[in-house]
């Protein structure tokens, strides 16, 4: 991750505040580190150019899958040379939803209780739930229509901002946990295809506040 006056442990709010008036880069050279360390091919490189608090250029490379995704604000999202678009699914029962990793460290037990309740709630309504272990893949696959949604109850800029732009340029929505538009200062990253925005947020908003 590379931002002005920021280190990998810097919070998203601080990153946004430190560069709110100019363009800045966010880089995660290995998103999905635990997967990579164990030889699981769900990992990649995530790079975004942020103007203030929103990404304007994005690239995600998934080398073990042979896939590269890119987007420029206002110009659409692409997998290689092919333009991609978010899923057109209209029912949660048809949705495959990726959920971010469980929390670790201080306060993890309380946070994960809310995550477990959310998983139980979504699991009764969605077609399938997946935990892929990498925000870059989660968001790239929402943009390409492989997934209908990704529920990431965190917002680290180097993990999320490139994928956020991909989803938006593919016609999807990216929101904070309270349903407002996602920015670098958001506490969560909820990406969803257009028709499921309202139903998904009704499902998850009671739980995101607890995390």
């Amino acid at each position: 991750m590379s931002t002005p006056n920021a280190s990998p442990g810097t919070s998203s709010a601080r990153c946004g505040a430190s560069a709110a008036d100019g363009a800045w880069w966010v880089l995660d050279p290995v998103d999905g580190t635990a997967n990579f360390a164990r030889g699981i091919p769900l990992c990649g490189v995530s790079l975004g150019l942020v103007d203030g608090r929103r990404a304007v250029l994005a690239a995600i490379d998934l080398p073990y899958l042979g896939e590269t995704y890119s987007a420029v604000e206002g110009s659409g999202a692409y997998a290689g040379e092919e333009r991609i678009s978010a899923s057109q699914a209209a029912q949660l029962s048809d949705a495959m939803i990726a959920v971010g990793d469980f929390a670790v460290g201080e306060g993890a037990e309380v946070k994960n209780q809310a995550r477990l309740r959310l998983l139980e709630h979504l699991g009764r309504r969605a077609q399938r739930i997946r935990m892929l272990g990498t925000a870059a893949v989660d968001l790239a696959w929402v943009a390409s229509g492989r997934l209908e949604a990704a529920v990431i109850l965190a917002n680290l800029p180097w993990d999320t901002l490139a994928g956020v732009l991909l989803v938006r340029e593919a016609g999807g929505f990216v929101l904070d946990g309270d349903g407002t538009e996602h920015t670098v200062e958001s506490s969560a990253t909820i990406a969803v295809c257009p028709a499921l925005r309202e139903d998904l947020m009704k499902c998850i908003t009671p739980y995101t506040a607890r995390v």
Side-chain angles (χ1 to χ4, degrees), residues 5 9 18 30 33 35 43 45-46 56 61 71 84 96 125 134 137 142 170 179 181 193-194 202 211:
N5 303 317
S18 67
V30 185
T33 308
N35 288 349
C43 54
V45 182
S46 179
V56 295
D61 183 43
I84 55 176
M96 185 170 286
R125 290 161 175 78
T134 158
V137 172
V142 173
E181 287 296 311
C193 65
K202 283 181 180 177
V211 179

Side-chain angles (χ1 to χ4, degrees), residues 88-177:
Q88 297 301 307
Q91 304 291 331
L92 273 178
S93 58
D94 295 326
M96 185 170 286
I97 301 174
V99 177
D101 285 340
F102 284 98
V104 296
E106 185 178 355
E109 182 176 355
V110 172
K111 293 177 182 179
N112 288 333
Q113 288 174 358
R115 282 175 164 85
L116 286 168
R117 289 192 290 269
L118 173 59
L119 284 171
E120 180 183 13
H121 189 67
L122 282 177
R124 294 197 302 267
R125 290 161 175 78
Q127 184 185 92
R128 290 289 188 274
I129 302 296
R130 295 288 183 262
M131 187 176 285
L132 303 178
T134 158
V137 172
D138 289 347
L139 295 168
W141 285 2
V142 173
S144 66
R146 288 178 175 168
L147 299 170
E148 275 66 46
V151 179
I152 304 168
L153 300 181
N155 180 39
L156 301 175
W158 50 95
D159 287 339
T160 59
L161 289 186
V164 166
L165 180 62
L166 283 173
V167 173
R168 285 177 170 153
E169 289 297 315
F173 293 98
V174 190
L175 309 168
D176 199 350

Side-chain angles (χ1 to χ4, degrees), residues 23-115:
W24 48 291
W25 292 97
V26 283
L27 170 66
D28 191 342
V30 185
D31 185 68
T33 308
N35 288 349
F36 175 76
R38 291 176 175 266
I40 298 171
L42 296 178
C43 54
V45 182
S46 179
L47 175 67
L49 177 64
V50 183
D51 185 6
R53 292 177 171 83
R54 289 170 62 99
V56 295
L57 181 150
I60 291 176
D61 183 43
L62 309 179
Y64 296 110
L65 302 180
E67 298 177 1
T68 301
Y69 298 85
S70 62
V72 176
E73 187 176 42
S75 299
Y78 292 83
E81 300 297 323
E82 180 181 355
R83 189 156 184 167
I84 55 176
S85 59
S87 169
Q88 297 301 307
Q91 304 291 331
L92 273 178
S93 58
D94 295 326
M96 185 170 286
I97 301 174
V99 177
D101 285 340
F102 284 98
V104 296
E106 185 178 355
E109 182 176 355
V110 172
K111 293 177 182 179
N112 288 333
Q113 288 174 358
R115 282 175 164 85

